Amino acid sequence: MSSAPSVADNPSNESRDPAYFGYYAMLQHQQNMLQDTVRTSTYRSAILLNTECFEDKLVMDVGAGSGILSYFAVQAGAKKVYAVEASEMALKMKKLVKAASLPGGLAKNEFLKDRIEVIQAKIEDSGIKAPKVDTIISEPIGVLLVHERMIESFIYARDTYLKPGGHLFPNKGTMYLAPFTDALLFTETMGKARFWEQTTFHGVDLSPLYPDAKAEMFGMPVVGHFDPKSLLATPTSDTEGYEMDFNTITMKALRDFVVPISWKAQYTGLMHGVAGWFDLTFSGNPDSAASQPIEMSTGPSAEKTHWQQVRFMFREPLAVNAGQSIRGWMHCVVNDMRSYTVDIEVIVGPFGELSDPSQPFEPLLEKQAKQQQQHVSRSEGSEEMEEEEEEVDELQFSRRRGRWELHEQSYNYSYTGSPNDLLTKPEHLCMYEPENVDDAYGGIEFAN
């Protein structure tokens, strides 16, 4: 496989813009987001509970869509809102805003009259005529926080239009990762790939394509809600999340970043991959005692949102014992599909060095085969060779690495969160507690 694109390449979104903005120009897709009650009510609460950031202020709404955040800003007392929207949805927003000025008692939403200026343009366009503003609001979030690359537009607006000391809503995003087990999902994915194992499909042998099918199926991130009980280890504090401070993050840091991984397995079982989600923070005015910070989570234990969660499945599960350390990294680099290329590597246990995430992607099995051949030719017949081969074999069974394109998503909606799911126990998911939960394996502690 080739290496991930570098930051210097800075893939453009231009080729994807027509399809992207065409999608968001449709009312049915705006409705899908508006009906996400967690998303909509969180933004409304964040704005209306922090009116000091809006009252008599100039506000900019980046990627305004249906305009709902602009309307909330006016409700919070904004003097003027500049709603910037690149898609044809801007025309529908203008229609709604214009209805506030209809004569003869026909006006709708009169509180919007003369308070919103709709600008149909990308925020990066040079022809935008808008002043510096006191507050910027936006919903620039995609799957795993960064998909669709709208945060870049949010940051551009910050650097171009926000007054010194101004406020961002939201001002922080935190990404969380955790190991998961899901034998059913793995089996379903393998089943899709095994279609291509057939040797007599209407007289055609499809099996030469089986390796490609397996690589493709497992290279697609799985979007959907899942049972939080399927996590082998769970992030429990802010220190275990990867924070993006929208007040300070740079374009370079946003386009190429590495999320460190460090977990301690709580159960014995098979790790089928890595799950991810995010939280949003709206701090309001941190210098004011009247500020009321609001947070929203998209985690598996939180109320459902349209963002759901995402899972990256390994082609081969990884055996994990309760108490063992799991370490690694996730490397995310922007691509030209309004998304990211994601590389993940994990190692279970204390042995072996992690690869450098900045180096070209090399399939691990090929690398191990080269290492093993070198050991055999250098130390054939020696005791040292046996020890080295043991370490190579250990790494072969304790390390997994894969690549996924975040935009090539598949979907799984098998988990509904029904009352019956409350009866699920770890062993039902093939996850096994240590004999002594408080002192795993009778005092034996795995090295970290």
mmCIF file of all heavy atoms in Angstrom, residues 71-100:
data_model
loop_
_atom_site.group_PDB
_atom_site.id
_atom_site.type_symbol
_atom_site.label_atom_id
_atom_site.label_comp_id
_atom_site.label_asym_id
_atom_site.label_seq_id
_atom_site.Cartn_x
_atom_site.Cartn_y
_atom_site.Cartn_z
ATOM 1 N N TYR A 71 -31.315 31.578 13.712
ATOM 2 C CA TYR A 71 -32.575 31.941 14.360
ATOM 3 C C TYR A 71 -32.428 31.915 15.885
ATOM 4 O O TYR A 71 -32.950 32.788 16.585
ATOM 5 C CB TYR A 71 -33.694 30.995 13.915
ATOM 6 C CG TYR A 71 -33.769 30.788 12.414
ATOM 7 C CD1 TYR A 71 -34.191 29.585 11.875
ATOM 8 C CD2 TYR A 71 -33.418 31.811 11.530
ATOM 9 C CE1 TYR A 71 -34.249 29.388 10.497
ATOM 10 C CE2 TYR A 71 -33.481 31.628 10.160
ATOM 11 C CZ TYR A 71 -33.881 30.412 9.644
ATOM 12 O OH TYR A 71 -33.929 30.228 8.280
ATOM 13 N N PHE A 72 -31.692 30.919 16.382
ATOM 14 C CA PHE A 72 -31.433 30.872 17.825
ATOM 15 C C PHE A 72 -30.635 32.103 18.273
ATOM 16 O O PHE A 72 -30.882 32.664 19.346
ATOM 17 C CB PHE A 72 -30.652 29.609 18.194
ATOM 18 C CG PHE A 72 -31.419 28.324 18.040
ATOM 19 C CD1 PHE A 72 -30.747 27.099 17.950
ATOM 20 C CD2 PHE A 72 -32.799 28.313 17.991
ATOM 21 C CE1 PHE A 72 -31.447 25.913 17.817
ATOM 22 C CE2 PHE A 72 -33.517 27.119 17.845
ATOM 23 C CZ PHE A 72 -32.825 25.917 17.759
ATOM 24 N N ALA A 73 -29.663 32.512 17.446
ATOM 25 C CA ALA A 73 -28.840 33.674 17.793
ATOM 26 C C ALA A 73 -29.696 34.938 17.885
ATOM 27 O O ALA A 73 -29.496 35.773 18.778
ATOM 28 C CB ALA A 73 -27.727 33.863 16.762
ATOM 29 N N VAL A 74 -30.655 35.080 16.967
ATOM 30 C CA VAL A 74 -31.558 36.231 17.030
ATOM 31 C C VAL A 74 -32.417 36.147 18.292
ATOM 32 O O VAL A 74 -32.645 37.149 18.985
ATOM 33 C CB VAL A 74 -32.447 36.294 15.770
ATOM 34 C CG1 VAL A 74 -33.504 37.386 15.922
ATOM 35 C CG2 VAL A 74 -31.590 36.559 14.535
ATOM 36 N N GLN A 75 -32.893 34.962 18.628
ATOM 37 C CA GLN A 75 -33.666 34.779 19.858
ATOM 38 C C GLN A 75 -32.847 35.170 21.086
ATOM 39 O O GLN A 75 -33.403 35.620 22.096
ATOM 40 C CB GLN A 75 -34.133 33.329 19.975
ATOM 41 C CG GLN A 75 -35.212 32.944 18.974
ATOM 42 C CD GLN A 75 -35.558 31.465 19.031
ATOM 43 O OE1 GLN A 75 -34.851 30.673 19.655
ATOM 44 N NE2 GLN A 75 -36.657 31.087 18.387
ATOM 45 N N ALA A 76 -31.522 35.004 20.993
ATOM 46 C CA ALA A 76 -30.639 35.360 22.113
ATOM 47 C C ALA A 76 -30.271 36.836 22.109
ATOM 48 O O ALA A 76 -29.498 37.280 22.962
ATOM 49 C CB ALA A 76 -29.375 34.510 22.066
ATOM 50 N N GLY A 77 -30.799 37.602 21.139
ATOM 51 C CA GLY A 77 -30.600 39.044 21.136
ATOM 52 C C GLY A 77 -29.552 39.565 20.190
ATOM 53 O O GLY A 77 -29.142 40.729 20.306
ATOM 54 N N ALA A 78 -29.106 38.747 19.232
ATOM 55 C CA ALA A 78 -28.068 39.201 18.301
ATOM 56 C C ALA A 78 -28.521 40.443 17.535
ATOM 57 O O ALA A 78 -29.661 40.538 17.086
ATOM 58 C CB ALA A 78 -27.722 38.083 17.322
ATOM 59 N N LYS A 79 -27.605 41.386 17.395
ATOM 60 C CA LYS A 79 -27.897 42.609 16.648
ATOM 61 C C LYS A 79 -28.023 42.309 15.160
ATOM 62 O O LYS A 79 -28.915 42.821 14.471
ATOM 63 C CB LYS A 79 -26.788 43.624 16.900
ATOM 64 C CG LYS A 79 -26.968 44.949 16.189
ATOM 65 C CD LYS A 79 -25.803 45.882 16.538
ATOM 66 C CE LYS A 79 -25.932 47.213 15.837
ATOM 67 N NZ LYS A 79 -24.789 48.121 16.175
ATOM 68 N N LYS A 80 -27.110 41.481 14.659
ATOM 69 C CA LYS A 80 -27.111 41.110 13.242
ATOM 70 C C LYS A 80 -26.411 39.762 13.101
ATOM 71 O O LYS A 80 -25.381 39.508 13.732
ATOM 72 C CB LYS A 80 -26.365 42.155 12.409
ATOM 73 C CG LYS A 80 -26.454 41.953 10.903
ATOM 74 C CD LYS A 80 -27.754 42.511 10.340
ATOM 75 C CE LYS A 80 -27.768 42.498 8.821
ATOM 76 N NZ LYS A 80 -28.991 43.113 8.270
ATOM 77 N N VAL A 81 -26.985 38.894 12.269
ATOM 78 C CA VAL A 81 -26.386 37.591 12.007
ATOM 79 C C VAL A 81 -26.064 37.491 10.525
ATOM 80 O O VAL A 81 -26.934 37.722 9.673
ATOM 81 C CB VAL A 81 -27.322 36.435 12.411
ATOM 82 C CG1 VAL A 81 -26.663 35.090 12.099
ATOM 83 C CG2 VAL A 81 -27.680 36.512 13.880
ATOM 84 N N TYR A 82 -24.816 37.154 10.209
ATOM 85 C CA TYR A 82 -24.389 36.923 8.836
ATOM 86 C C TYR A 82 -24.355 35.407 8.629
ATOM 87 O O TYR A 82 -23.467 34.719 9.136
ATOM 88 C CB TYR A 82 -23.022 37.552 8.580
ATOM 89 C CG TYR A 82 -23.047 39.057 8.751
ATOM 90 C CD1 TYR A 82 -22.793 39.645 10.000
ATOM 91 C CD2 TYR A 82 -23.361 39.892 7.683
ATOM 92 C CE1 TYR A 82 -22.850 41.021 10.175
ATOM 93 C CE2 TYR A 82 -23.420 41.272 7.844
ATOM 94 C CZ TYR A 82 -23.164 41.821 9.096
ATOM 95 O OH TYR A 82 -23.237 43.194 9.261
ATOM 96 N N ALA A 83 -25.368 34.905 7.913
ATOM 97 C CA ALA A 83 -25.520 33.463 7.717
ATOM 98 C C ALA A 83 -24.885 33.076 6.391
ATOM 99 O O ALA A 83 -25.402 33.396 5.319
ATOM 100 C CB ALA A 83 -27.000 33.085 7.738
ATOM 101 N N VAL A 84 -23.750 32.376 6.457
ATOM 102 C CA VAL A 84 -22.991 32.013 5.257
ATOM 103 C C VAL A 84 -23.273 30.560 4.908
ATOM 104 O O VAL A 84 -22.998 29.654 5.698
ATOM 105 C CB VAL A 84 -21.481 32.226 5.484
ATOM 106 C CG1 VAL A 84 -20.717 31.929 4.190
ATOM 107 C CG2 VAL A 84 -21.201 33.644 5.968
ATOM 108 N N GLU A 85 -23.843 30.341 3.736
ATOM 109 C CA GLU A 85 -24.198 28.990 3.292
ATOM 110 C C GLU A 85 -23.918 28.857 1.800
ATOM 111 O O GLU A 85 -24.406 29.642 0.991
ATOM 112 C CB GLU A 85 -25.678 28.702 3.579
ATOM 113 C CG GLU A 85 -26.222 27.437 2.969
ATOM 114 C CD GLU A 85 -25.475 26.177 3.405
ATOM 115 O OE1 GLU A 85 -25.083 26.103 4.592
ATOM 116 O OE2 GLU A 85 -25.274 25.289 2.562
ATOM 117 N N ALA A 86 -23.115 27.858 1.423
ATOM 118 C CA ALA A 86 -22.687 27.723 0.039
ATOM 119 C C ALA A 86 -23.705 27.007 -0.842
ATOM 120 O O ALA A 86 -23.732 27.218 -2.059
ATOM 121 C CB ALA A 86 -21.350 26.981 -0.022
ATOM 122 N N SER A 87 -24.549 26.160 -0.273
ATOM 123 C CA SER A 87 -25.473 25.368 -1.080
ATOM 124 C C SER A 87 -26.721 26.181 -1.440
ATOM 125 O O SER A 87 -26.937 27.293 -0.942
ATOM 126 C CB SER A 87 -25.885 24.103 -0.325
ATOM 127 O OG SER A 87 -26.889 24.400 0.637
ATOM 128 N N GLU A 88 -27.569 25.568 -2.272
ATOM 129 C CA GLU A 88 -28.826 26.201 -2.658
ATOM 130 C C GLU A 88 -29.796 26.321 -1.482
ATOM 131 O O GLU A 88 -30.828 26.980 -1.598
ATOM 132 C CB GLU A 88 -29.481 25.401 -3.787
ATOM 133 C CG GLU A 88 -28.695 25.413 -5.097
ATOM 134 C CD GLU A 88 -28.570 26.822 -5.687
ATOM 135 O OE1 GLU A 88 -29.609 27.468 -5.887
ATOM 136 O OE2 GLU A 88 -27.426 27.257 -5.932
ATOM 137 N N MET A 89 -29.457 25.694 -0.350
ATOM 138 C CA MET A 89 -30.277 25.865 0.846
ATOM 139 C C MET A 89 -30.314 27.334 1.269
ATOM 140 O O MET A 89 -31.254 27.778 1.940
ATOM 141 C CB MET A 89 -29.723 24.997 1.986
ATOM 142 C CG MET A 89 -30.551 24.985 3.264
ATOM 143 S SD MET A 89 -32.285 24.497 3.048
ATOM 144 C CE MET A 89 -32.104 22.848 2.371
ATOM 145 N N ALA A 90 -29.318 28.113 0.853
ATOM 146 C CA ALA A 90 -29.301 29.546 1.164
ATOM 147 C C ALA A 90 -30.546 30.232 0.590
ATOM 148 O O ALA A 90 -31.083 31.171 1.200
ATOM 149 C CB ALA A 90 -28.038 30.192 0.602
ATOM 150 N N LEU A 91 -31.020 29.766 -0.582
ATOM 151 C CA LEU A 91 -32.210 30.359 -1.189
ATOM 152 C C LEU A 91 -33.453 30.075 -0.350
ATOM 153 O O LEU A 91 -34.340 30.925 -0.213
ATOM 154 C CB LEU A 91 -32.395 29.829 -2.607
ATOM 155 C CG LEU A 91 -31.223 30.066 -3.572
ATOM 156 C CD1 LEU A 91 -31.543 29.481 -4.944
ATOM 157 C CD2 LEU A 91 -30.911 31.557 -3.683
ATOM 158 N N LYS A 92 -33.512 28.878 0.217
ATOM 159 C CA LYS A 92 -34.648 28.535 1.074
ATOM 160 C C LYS A 92 -34.599 29.314 2.381
ATOM 161 O O LYS A 92 -35.630 29.730 2.924
ATOM 162 C CB LYS A 92 -34.673 27.032 1.324
ATOM 163 C CG LYS A 92 -34.874 26.214 0.046
ATOM 164 C CD LYS A 92 -34.866 24.731 0.334
ATOM 165 C CE LYS A 92 -35.169 23.929 -0.936
ATOM 166 N NZ LYS A 92 -34.096 24.014 -1.935
ATOM 167 N N MET A 93 -33.393 29.525 2.869
ATOM 168 C CA MET A 93 -33.237 30.323 4.077
ATOM 169 C C MET A 93 -33.667 31.771 3.818
ATOM 170 O O MET A 93 -34.345 32.397 4.648
ATOM 171 C CB MET A 93 -31.786 30.267 4.554
ATOM 172 C CG MET A 93 -31.550 30.895 5.910
ATOM 173 S SD MET A 93 -29.826 30.772 6.419
ATOM 174 C CE MET A 93 -29.885 31.675 7.960
ATOM 175 N N LYS A 94 -33.287 32.298 2.654
ATOM 176 C CA LYS A 94 -33.698 33.664 2.295
ATOM 177 C C LYS A 94 -35.221 33.766 2.231
ATOM 178 O O LYS A 94 -35.810 34.765 2.645
ATOM 179 C CB LYS A 94 -33.088 34.061 0.948
ATOM 180 C CG LYS A 94 -31.600 34.359 0.994
ATOM 181 C CD LYS A 94 -31.083 34.757 -0.393
ATOM 182 C CE LYS A 94 -29.595 35.087 -0.350
ATOM 183 N NZ LYS A 94 -29.070 35.485 -1.689
ATOM 184 N N LYS A 95 -35.849 32.719 1.726
ATOM 185 C CA LYS A 95 -37.310 32.705 1.620
ATOM 186 C C LYS A 95 -37.954 32.782 3.002
ATOM 187 O O LYS A 95 -38.918 33.526 3.225
ATOM 188 C CB LYS A 95 -37.754 31.440 0.891
ATOM 189 C CG LYS A 95 -39.250 31.353 0.646
ATOM 190 C CD LYS A 95 -39.578 30.108 -0.180
ATOM 191 C CE LYS A 95 -41.075 30.048 -0.485
ATOM 192 N NZ LYS A 95 -41.414 28.843 -1.306
ATOM 193 N N LEU A 96 -37.398 32.022 3.951
ATOM 194 C CA LEU A 96 -37.934 32.027 5.312
ATOM 195 C C LEU A 96 -37.710 33.379 5.980
ATOM 196 O O LEU A 96 -38.607 33.920 6.642
ATOM 197 C CB LEU A 96 -37.296 30.899 6.126
ATOM 198 C CG LEU A 96 -37.942 30.546 7.465
ATOM 199 C CD1 LEU A 96 -37.750 29.065 7.771
ATOM 200 C CD2 LEU A 96 -37.375 31.385 8.596
ATOM 201 N N VAL A 97 -36.517 33.945 5.785
ATOM 202 C CA VAL A 97 -36.192 35.234 6.404
ATOM 203 C C VAL A 97 -37.042 36.347 5.774
ATOM 204 O O VAL A 97 -37.536 37.246 6.477
ATOM 205 C CB VAL A 97 -34.685 35.547 6.244
ATOM 206 C CG1 VAL A 97 -34.389 36.973 6.681
ATOM 207 C CG2 VAL A 97 -33.853 34.554 7.054
ATOM 208 N N LYS A 98 -37.242 36.275 4.460
ATOM 209 C CA LYS A 98 -38.035 37.294 3.767
ATOM 210 C C LYS A 98 -39.485 37.286 4.250
ATOM 211 O O LYS A 98 -40.153 38.333 4.274
ATOM 212 C CB LYS A 98 -37.973 37.046 2.260
ATOM 213 C CG LYS A 98 -38.642 38.123 1.419
ATOM 214 C CD LYS A 98 -38.487 37.830 -0.073
ATOM 215 C CE LYS A 98 -39.174 38.918 -0.910
ATOM 216 N NZ LYS A 98 -39.035 38.644 -2.369
ATOM 217 N N ALA A 99 -39.967 36.117 4.673
ATOM 218 C CA ALA A 99 -41.347 36.013 5.154
ATOM 219 C C ALA A 99 -41.581 36.841 6.408
ATOM 220 O O ALA A 99 -42.726 37.164 6.749
ATOM 221 C CB ALA A 99 -41.702 34.555 5.416
ATOM 222 N N ALA A 100 -40.502 37.220 7.091
ATOM 223 C CA ALA A 100 -40.637 38.047 8.295
ATOM 224 C C ALA A 100 -41.037 39.475 7.954
ATOM 225 O O ALA A 100 -41.475 40.229 8.840
ATOM 226 C CB ALA A 100 -39.328 38.046 9.079
#
